[in-house]
Amino acid sequence: QVTLRESGPALVKPTQTLTLTCTFSGFSLSTSGMCVSWIRQPPGKALEWLALIDWDDSKYYSTSLKTRLTISKDTSKNQVVLTMTNMDPVDTATYYCARFYFGSGASRLFDYWGQGTLVTVSS
Amino acid sequence: DIQMTQSPSSLSASVGDRVTITCRASQTISNYLNWYQQKPGKAPELLIYAASSLQSGVPSRFSGSGSGTDFTLTISSLQPEDFASYYCQQSHTTPPWTFGQGTKVEVK
């Protein structure tokens, strides 16, 4: 059974750095095709893809946010960590981690999601 | 980056209606297109992958079609549990991945 769970602060101040942890089970991030990604959703708005780390430790970032994001993994702990620097109130959102599977052909998909964690940026 | 444009942004429908949502990519993405359903306060759930493949456990009233730049999600007979938001997402070549802006299906 695949599960993912996000953890981190519910409230951060402007200019601070946000650190979120995704703890997962039911799969290994060292298995070919397995990836973990972060996606966020401001209240009442659309989903926004942020970052992805794959089984080979390749890392990919949102073009608009790449200067502020760092994604890393600890395979032994089954954890993926996202840091976002210089937080601003517009970064207030629910942050999700999700498993991304690079399957055969066009089978590239987010098949399992965490429940999400709401992060509010306010002084 | 590849931009994904969904239409409409919202629609009102009744139980039993046939509902169609479209998604257009800013460049060709072959069939690297997925659809997700999201209910309020919940994480998105995968409905359709590779443009037309139904995810395991998803009711057969959901279907997807299209290739290249134009894609469609169809609900053949809307059920009460289908009132939700729907998002397309492209996964062509390598990231960055992008989502559409969403379509909210509301009760008429």
Side-chain angles (χ1 to χ4, degrees):
Chain A
Q1 180 189 3
V2 173
T3 64
L4 303 99
R5 186 182 76 251
E6 306 88 352
S7 58
L11 179 67
V12 297
K13 290 181 167 51
T15 75
Q16 286 187 337
T17 294
L18 171 68
T19 300
L20 294 172
T21 300
C22 177
T23 303
F24 58 88
S25 64
F27 68 98
S28 172
L29 201 39
S30 59
T31 299
S32 179
M34 295 297 170
C35 314
V36 171
S37 199
W38 287 92
I39 300 111
R40 71 178 180 179
Q41 185 173 39
K45 296 190 177 181
L47 300 166
E48 179 182 19
W49 179 81
L50 299 177
L52 178 145
I53 189 164
D54 74 10
W55 67 96
D56 204 28
D57 208 34
S58 293
K59 301 163 188 176
Y60 302 88
Y61 297 101
S62 160
T63 301
S64 60
L65 293 168
K66 61 184 176 183
T67 61
R68 299 173 54 204
L69 296 173
T70 303
I71 192 169
S72 62
K73 66 183 172 86
D74 186 331
T75 305
S76 64
K77 291 184 178 179
N78 281 353
Q79 290 183 331
V80 170
V81 174
L82 181 76
T83 63
M84 180 180 290
T85 61
N86 195 24
M87 293 292 285
D88 183 271
V90 300
D91 297 313
T92 293
T94 295
Y95 287 76
Y96 295 99
C97 65
R99 187 177 85 165
F100 187 85
Y101 176 57
F102 259 103
S104 59
S107 297
R108 302 177 179 180
L109 46 96
F110 292 106
D111 56 354
Y112 293 94
W113 297 65
Q115 63 187 14
T117 186
L118 176 62
V119 178
T120 300
V121 185
S122 174
S123 55
Chain B
D1 294 2
I2 299 173
Q3 306 303 315
M4 306 301 294
T5 304
Q6 281 182 240
S7 61
S9 55
S10 66
L11 64 89
S12 298
S14 301
V15 172
D17 285 353
R18 181 181 183 88
V19 169
T20 299
I21 299 168
T22 63
C23 180
R24 174 165 288 177
S26 61
Q27 64 189 71
T28 185
I29 58 171
S30 184
N31 62 333
Y32 292 86
L33 190 284
N34 306 315
W35 290 98
Y36 301 85
Q37 177 192 67
Q38 186 181 33
K39 296 181 180 179
K42 300 292 187 182
E45 294 184 355
L46 179 66
L47 294 175
I48 301 284
Y49 64 94
S52 60
S53 296
L54 195 66
Q55 173 69 346
S56 176
V58 174
S60 58
R61 63 181 180 273
F62 291 93
S63 64
S65 64
S67 185
T69 61
D70 294 315
F71 302 87
T72 299
L73 172 70
T74 299
I75 309 172
S76 60
S77 178
L78 196 66
Q79 298 302 300
E81 60 268 30
D82 301 337
F83 292 99
S85 293
Y86 294 85
Y87 293 90
C88 62
Q89 175 256 325
Q90 65 82 18
S91 51
H92 188 249
T93 59
T94 57
W97 306 142
T98 43
F99 290 88
Q101 80 275 21
T103 296
K104 187 174 183 178
V105 177
E106 300 175 300
V107 177
K108 192 171 188 177

